[in-house]
Amino acid sequence: MKPKDMLEYVLLSFRADRRRALMSSLGIIIGVISIVALLSVGQGLYGGVTERFSDFDMDLITVRPGSGMGMGPGERPASTPEEPAEFDDRDVKIVENVLGVEAAYPLKTSRALLSYRGDNTSATVVGLSPENHDDLKEAVARGRFLTGSDYKAAVVSHEIAEEYFRMDISPGNQIRLYSDDEDRYMDFKVVGVLEEDEDPTYASNAGIYITHRAMEEFLDAGDYHYDSITVRAEDSAEVEDLAEKIEKELSRIHRNEAYNVEAMTTRFESMLEVLSMIKYALAGIGGISLVVGAIGISNVMMLTVRERTSEIGVMKAIGATAWDVRTLYLLDAGMLGLVSSVVGIVLGVLVSDLVGMVANIPQEVTVQSVALGLVFGVLITTVAGIYPANRAAVLDPIVALRGE
Amino acid sequence: MPLVEVAELEKSYRVGEMDVPVLRGINLQIEEGEFVALMGPSGCGKSTLMNILGGLDRPSRGRALLKGQDLGRLSDGDLARIRRDEIGFVFQSFNLIGRISNLRNVELPMTLKELPREERRDRAEELLEAVGLGHRLNYSPTNLSGGERQRVAIARALANDPSLILADEPTGNLDQKSRREIIEIMNELNRDGRTIVMVTHDIETTEYCSRVIWMIDGRVQEEPS
């Protein structure tokens, strides 16, 4: 039997038995939808994160006190339990003097309760040295950025200024910050508001920026230590070497203390790795539903072969070979797979658009996810058809005809 | 050379530990152009003999030759080709495919033979017209009466111009009027020179047969000419 005639016969069968075609394709359609949609969402997450790590952040190195448990890349191995390192201005100087370092910004971060005209919200307070932060300076939308001589002055993020309170915060307004235990507070005058979406990786959306001097007084702790020192390298191509150099310099005075020096590129890479894993894990979940769908197809085809036993007997009696019958039923499965995969891909694209819109998750339909959906859909369905097709091919025509 | 030559043909089926003989040494010759009726009680082996002659089953011992070819020695693929090109089956229960039209049912043996589409279609139309169903080409067989269905089945049996038509109780499921129609058609085919072997229970249907072969208990009983 010619392939073209087989195809025609299969399509005629679909038309004559739409219910069967629909029932068996449903599982595959759902499987392909989940593969395409989950891959798209995974790809979107991946792309979204890649985009946020804009180029200028790739020359950053972060120095942090460590837990001493030996976690993460770049952290010194912990042979004995170590105390976390405590960084102060001496360390900033050391880091600044390492060859290849353009600038070092010490940061101190704390949670605080922000009060404005009687409303409260929790916020992240970042203490910094204003002269180092040209990137934030450029991001000021209204007012001005902090200067070294500011004391009780604050710059707030766009979200804090416009989304957290009934009344927007503008330069000139007074805000009050309560420390964590809420028995101390400090009043600040807002001098500037940042642009929307301007959030360097070391800050947060809900950030309030003040000087180290103000931070020290606000926290009222005996020793004032930095949470991190962010280092900008002169050459972004050499950040990893530079990170090693900085670590060596610091080890002179923090011999038995835990800290880690991590280039942003390293963190970026391990993050991409995790995201890539998430993406394929999502696709794997889609794959499982596809396999379940394929088992459904296999079942429906087994039923079909049983239902059409006498038809298969007739086909053989009038001259169909085992090869003809096998190919016919494999083609049946393959066509079901193809049609359902195409339907599944179209619906999958729609679903990922919808999910992206409703849940506000970035999503991105790629050629890769569409191709994966198509190939797996057709392949798995055809494989699911092998067993039923063989059963049909080896049917004894006499038994099949008697079975009426 | 006779069209069909059967010599010392035996067939037994294995049921559990036992071999149950169904055909116990059949000798038989059928010449081209004959219209032979095969009669006998149920279980006498008529259908088994038909299946072996049609290449659906294989002899246990002995030979069954069609046009000089030993059917027992052919491969499965060659047997399928014999069924396709040399044999036309007509069944008691019609065995048409309900999901496709009458035209396509008749075309199917030619489709399996990979004949060109035009040729298939023309011949199928011609055959359906010849059995008086030219106006039912695109109907499904499920919309036809029993007699009409059997006429479609006969048209299908003729599709590849076979040398032997094997009809297994072709009138068994039909009413009196349809039975008559089918017998007349079979007679016409025979007059056109076709060789027919027909299993039947009904002596009335044998009026045009050139020969009646009686079978009892796996043996040919007598052959009154």
Side-chain angles (χ1 to χ4, degrees):
Chain A
M1 203 164 169
K2 288 182 190 162
K4 204 179 98 191
D5 291 321
M6 286 200 185
L7 190 63
E8 194 180 323
Y9 188 83
V10 165
L11 293 181
L12 277 172
S13 297
F14 287 171
R15 212 170 62 185
D17 203 345
R18 290 191 190 89
R19 196 173 49 94
R20 177 191 84 94
L22 188 72
M23 288 299 282
S24 44
S25 56
L26 219 51
I28 291 295
I29 291 177
I30 291 171
V32 172
I33 288 177
S34 29
I35 279 203
V36 171
L38 290 174
L39 261 181
S40 299
V41 170
Q43 181 62 36
L45 283 177
Y46 192 88
V49 169
T50 315
E51 215 170 89
R52 282 172 93 110
F53 278 77
S54 48
D55 286 337
F56 78 90
D57 283 337
M58 299 306 287
D59 55 2
L60 293 183
I61 295 168
T62 313
V63 181
R64 279 178 209 281
S67 60
M69 300 299 287
M71 301 267 291
E75 187 154 323
R76 294 164 65 223
S79 48
T80 54
E82 292 170 324
E83 285 297 306
E86 294 179 336
F87 294 122
D88 51 28
D89 285 328
R90 189 172 53 148
D91 299 295
V92 176
K93 279 278 172 292
I94 291 172
V95 171
E96 271 175 348
N97 287 332
V98 173
L99 196 69
V101 169
E102 191 182 300
Y105 333 124
L107 292 175
K108 177 76 175 178
T109 309
S110 175
R111 301 295 299 169
L113 193 71
L114 166 61
S115 176
Y116 175 63
R117 294 196 181 172
D119 290 332
N120 296 327
T121 187
S122 90
T124 306
V125 184
V126 181
L128 45 75
S129 310
E131 62 275 15
N132 286 340
H133 290 273
D134 287 343
D135 49 349
L136 283 177
K137 204 171 190 168
E138 281 166 22
V140 172
R142 288 178 289 144
R144 61 171 180 85
F145 193 59
L146 300 168
T147 65
S149 58
D150 277 327
Y151 177 41
K152 291 193 170 181
V155 168
V156 298
S157 74
H158 176 84
E159 277 85 350
I160 296 250
E162 305 205 348
E163 287 169 26
Y164 281 39
F165 297 101
R166 281 172 300 175
M167 306 268 287
D168 288 355
I169 300 176
S170 294
N173 291 141
Q174 284 280 324
I175 55 171
R176 178 167 291 184
L177 288 179
Y178 289 89
S179 71
D180 257 354
D181 40 16
E182 292 186 28
D183 58 355
R184 276 174 295 106
Y185 65 83
M186 233 172 121
D187 286 325
F188 288 87
K189 185 179 169 193
V190 174
V191 295
V193 174
L194 297 183
E195 284 169 6
E196 195 171 1
D197 289 334
E198 183 54 46
D199 45 351
T201 45
Y202 53 84
S204 89
N205 286 343
I208 300 165
Y209 303 91
I210 59 178
T211 60
H212 279 301
R213 193 151 60 98
M215 190 71 162
E216 191 171 354
E217 180 168 340
F218 174 61
L219 291 177
D220 192 29
D223 292 329
Y224 187 74
H225 302 294
Y226 299 130
D227 282 341
S228 68
I229 303 171
T230 301
V231 181
R232 172 147 294 161
E234 282 172 358
D235 184 354
S236 64
E238 282 172 14
V239 278
E240 269 155 60
D241 289 343
L242 189 60
E244 263 176 52
K245 269 196 251 171
I246 291 169
E247 185 177 345
K248 219 162 96 190
E249 287 299 321
L250 287 173
S251 71
R252 289 164 196 251
I253 53 166
H254 296 283
R255 189 174 301 274
N256 285 316
E257 295 167 6
Y259 60 90
N260 76 65
V261 180
E262 191 184 5
M264 196 60 83
T265 48
T266 314
R267 206 205 292 181
F268 183 59
E269 272 159 22
S270 49
M271 202 154 180
L272 285 189
E273 235 169 77
V274 171
L275 278 173
S276 175
M277 269 159 60
I278 291 174
K279 191 172 84 170
Y280 285 103
L282 287 175
I285 295 169
I288 290 170
S289 46
L290 192 56
V291 168
V292 173
I295 293 170
I297 280 220
S298 205
N299 275 328
V300 174
M301 285 204 54
M302 284 305 292
L303 280 178
T304 306
V305 168
R306 191 172 302 171
E307 219 171 73
R308 295 191 191 160
T309 298
S310 72
E311 176 184 325
I312 294 163
V314 175
M315 292 280 277
K316 288 193 148 183
I318 63 177
T321 57
W323 166 263
D324 285 330
V325 175
R326 182 180 293 115
T327 318
L328 203 58
Y329 281 86
L330 272 183
L331 193 67
D332 191 291
M335 283 307 291
L336 270 178
L338 183 67
V339 173
S340 347
S341 299
V342 170
V343 173
I345 284 170
V346 171
L347 292 180
V349 170
L350 290 179
V351 166
S352 47
D353 273 351
L354 202 71
V355 168
M357 240 157 52
V358 172
N360 201 19
I361 299 172
Q363 55 83 24
E364 198 178 327
V365 179
T366 60
V367 177
Q368 186 201 21
S369 55
V370 168
L372 264 179
L374 191 68
V375 168
F376 271 93
V378 175
L379 208 69
I380 288 185
T381 321
T382 311
V383 168
I386 289 176
Y387 181 66
N390 270 334
R391 287 287 294 265
V394 300
L395 264 184
D396 181 349
I398 300 173
V399 178
L401 287 171
R402 199 194 298 140
E404 277 253 314
Chain B
M1 182 178 70
L3 181 69
V4 175
E5 191 173 2
V6 176
E8 298 303 326
L9 178 67
E10 290 178 34
K11 177 73 186 180
S12 49
Y13 290 104
R14 232 185 144 69
V15 180
E17 295 287 291
M18 296 235 297
D19 273 334
V20 179
V22 180
L23 300 179
R24 302 162 184 262
I26 306 265
N27 290 292
L28 182 65
Q29 292 194 345
I30 296 168
E31 300 294 332
E32 221 166 291
E34 278 197 273
F35 185 175
V36 178
L38 203 53
M39 295 189 78
S42 305
C44 70
K46 309 179 298 271
S47 294
T48 303
L49 179 59
M50 290 280 273
N51 286 338
I52 292 175
L53 292 182
L56 284 170
D57 208 348
R58 291 168 183 279
S60 303
R61 274 170 297 278
R63 283 174 300 141
L65 307 183
L66 179 72
K67 283 175 142 182
Q69 287 188 90
D70 190 341
L71 296 177
R73 291 173 182 277
L74 295 178
S75 69
D76 285 348
D78 286 335
L79 272 185
R81 263 180 288 283
I82 292 274
R83 294 197 294 268
R84 188 185 71 191
D85 300 344
E86 304 291 351
I87 307 289
F89 281 104
V90 179
F91 302 95
Q92 178 176 3
S93 49
F94 326 127
N95 281 333
L96 297 168
I97 295 170
R99 287 175 295 111
I100 59 178
S101 67
N102 295 320
L103 192 65
R104 283 182 190 277
N105 264 286
V106 177
E107 264 187 64
L108 202 49
M110 297 184 274
T111 309
L112 289 167
K113 202 179 176 179
E114 305 193 351
L115 294 182
R117 176 175 300 254
E118 284 299 307
E119 189 181 333
R120 261 159 35 198
R121 183 129 306 180
D122 290 349
R123 175 146 175 89
E125 277 181 26
E126 207 176 281
L127 286 167
L128 280 168
E129 269 159 30
V131 294
L133 289 172
H135 59 300
R136 292 276 190 270
L137 297 180
N138 293 314
Y139 282 52
S140 156
T142 48
N143 296 330
L144 301 184
S145 72
E148 287 173 320
R149 288 189 205 188
Q150 197 58 296
R151 275 142 67 190
V152 176
I154 290 172
R156 181 181 65 187
L158 297 173
N160 284 330
D161 197 16
S163 31
L164 178 63
I165 289 175
L166 296 175
D168 195 349
E169 296 194 48
T171 57
N173 278 359
L174 299 179
D175 58 39
Q176 185 59 39
K177 180 170 159 284
S178 305
R179 208 177 299 173
R180 199 69 239 161
E181 279 171 13
I182 296 303
I183 286 305
E184 292 298 338
I185 290 175
M186 302 278 267
N187 181 39
E188 260 172 59
L189 293 178
N190 179 239
R191 275 201 311 234
D192 290 344
R194 298 201 178 268
T195 315
I196 303 173
V197 176
M198 174 174 73
V199 168
T200 182
H201 278 303
D202 182 2
I203 195 80
E204 253 181 74
T205 59
T206 64
E207 60 170 293
Y208 296 114
C209 291
S210 52
R211 183 153 61 121
V212 175
I213 297 174
W214 284 90
M215 281 180 70
I216 288 176
D217 204 14
R219 289 191 180 85
V220 171
Q221 184 77 356
E222 54 187 284
E223 270 194 47
S225 314

